[in-house]
Amino acid sequence: MLQGVADLNLSDCHGRVGVPKQLIVTKDPLSIPNEVDKAGLKLPLVAKPLLVDGSAKSHELFLAYDQCSLSELEPPLVLQEFVNHGGVLFKVYIVGEAIKVVRRFSLPNISKRELEKLAGVFRFPRVSCAAASADDADLDPSIAELPERPLLENLARQLRQRLGLRLFNVDMIREHGTKDVFYVIDINYFPGYGKMPDYEHIFTDFLLSLVQSKHKKRPAT
C-alpha cells in the first residue's frame, strides 16, 4: 500500500509527500543485518509487524539503533528508516470524500549524539493511539501545523483511485526542520473510526451519499 504513495504524482506548491525507505523481512532473524545492508537502509530503523490482526502485539513498534541488534527482531516485519518529525504525527482519516486530521504524539527526535551512544532494540507499545492525542498540547507551531488542505485532498483522491478504497486512514509525519516535506509511514484500511472527532455525522453523511448514488444509478422503470 505504501508503494502506491511512492508512485503518486504530488509535485505541487503545497508540499511533497514520500515514503521512508523500507524493507519487508520474512526470513530468519540472523539474515536481517545482511538484508538491511544490501538494501542500503540507514539506522535507526523502525520495525513494525507485517501482519496486523487487531491484537496489542500487532500495534507494537521497535526502534533498532545498531546493526547487531537487528538480529533480535522477530520476522515477519517491515523495517523503515526513521525520520525525525518532532514527535508528532498526523492521522488523516478518509471517509469517502471527507477528510479529518488529528495530531498524535509519536516517537521523539533522535540526535546524532544520541545515535552514537545508543544501542539495542527499544519497544514502543501503542504509539499514536487515541490516548496520545496532541491536539490540545502546547506545541511549536512549526511542528503542530497541519499539512495544507489541497495537499491532503490530492493525496486522498489519488489513493482512493489507486487502492480502490473509500474508508482508510493515512499516518503522515513532517520531516523535522521543514515546512512542506511529508512522509506517509502507514496506511490502514477501515480503521477504528470511533477515535475520529465527529465520526457520527461524517459516517452518516457517507452512508447517505452511497444510498443516493445507488438510487441515481437505478434504471428508470
Side-chain angles (χ1 to χ4, degrees):
M1 294 173 79
L2 286 179
Q3 183 56 45
V5 178
D7 296 336
L8 296 181
N9 179 20
L10 292 169
S11 55
D12 58 32
C13 60
H14 299 288
R16 291 183 289 145
V17 181
V19 191
K21 199 170 184 179
Q22 63 178 15
L23 174 70
I24 294 176
V25 179
T26 59
K27 300 179 181 179
D28 173 29
L30 296 177
S31 70
I32 298 177
N34 186 47
E35 293 293 320
V36 166
D37 191 51
K38 286 196 300 183
L41 269 65
K42 297 178 181 178
L43 294 163
L45 297 176
V46 179
K48 308 176 182 183
L50 182 61
L51 305 176
V52 180
D53 57 8
S55 65
K57 188 175 179 62
S58 68
H59 290 281
E60 289 181 342
L61 294 182
F62 296 87
L63 202 54
Y65 285 95
D66 65 282
Q67 196 85 359
C68 295
S69 65
L70 293 172
S71 57
E72 300 174 21
L73 299 169
E74 297 181 19
L77 50 83
V78 179
L79 296 175
Q80 281 183 349
E81 286 188 345
F82 179 78
V83 178
N84 279 337
H85 53 281
V88 172
L89 68 77
F90 306 104
K91 220 161 185 61
V92 184
Y93 291 96
I94 291 98
V95 184
E97 301 293 324
I99 300 172
K100 193 78 174 180
V101 188
V102 296
R103 300 180 192 86
R104 296 278 173 82
F105 285 114
S106 179
L107 300 178
N109 286 350
I110 302 171
S111 67
K112 290 183 179 179
R113 181 177 297 179
E114 288 174 314
L115 188 55
E116 291 172 354
K117 293 180 178 180
L118 293 171
V121 174
F122 292 79
R123 173 177 167 270
F124 296 89
R126 301 294 299 182
V127 173
S128 82
C129 65
S133 173
D135 278 332
D136 298 322
D138 185 16
L139 298 170
D140 185 326
S142 65
I143 294 173
E145 184 181 2
L146 298 179
E148 293 279 352
R149 191 74 185 183
L151 181 68
L152 294 177
E153 291 173 349
N154 192 359
L155 175 65
R157 180 174 60 254
Q158 292 199 44
L159 284 177
R160 277 196 300 266
Q161 295 171 352
R162 189 172 291 270
L163 301 176
L165 297 175
R166 295 189 184 184
L167 300 172
F168 61 101
N169 95 274
V170 175
D171 289 348
M172 293 178 65
I173 57 174
R174 175 191 284 110
E175 185 173 359
H176 189 62
T178 74
K179 178 178 174 59
D180 58 0
V181 179
F182 298 92
Y183 290 90
V184 172
I185 58 173
D186 223 341
I187 300 176
N188 304 292
Y189 59 89
F190 202 69
Y193 283 105
K195 307 166 190 174
M196 180 181 73
D198 303 321
Y199 81 93
E200 299 98 332
H201 302 295
I202 294 174
F203 219 83
T204 300
D205 289 344
F206 170 68
L207 294 176
L208 287 173
S209 71
L210 291 181
V211 174
Q212 293 167 356
S213 176
K214 188 175 181 180
H215 180 73
K216 289 178 181 178
K217 293 179 179 177
R218 186 177 299 170
T221 55

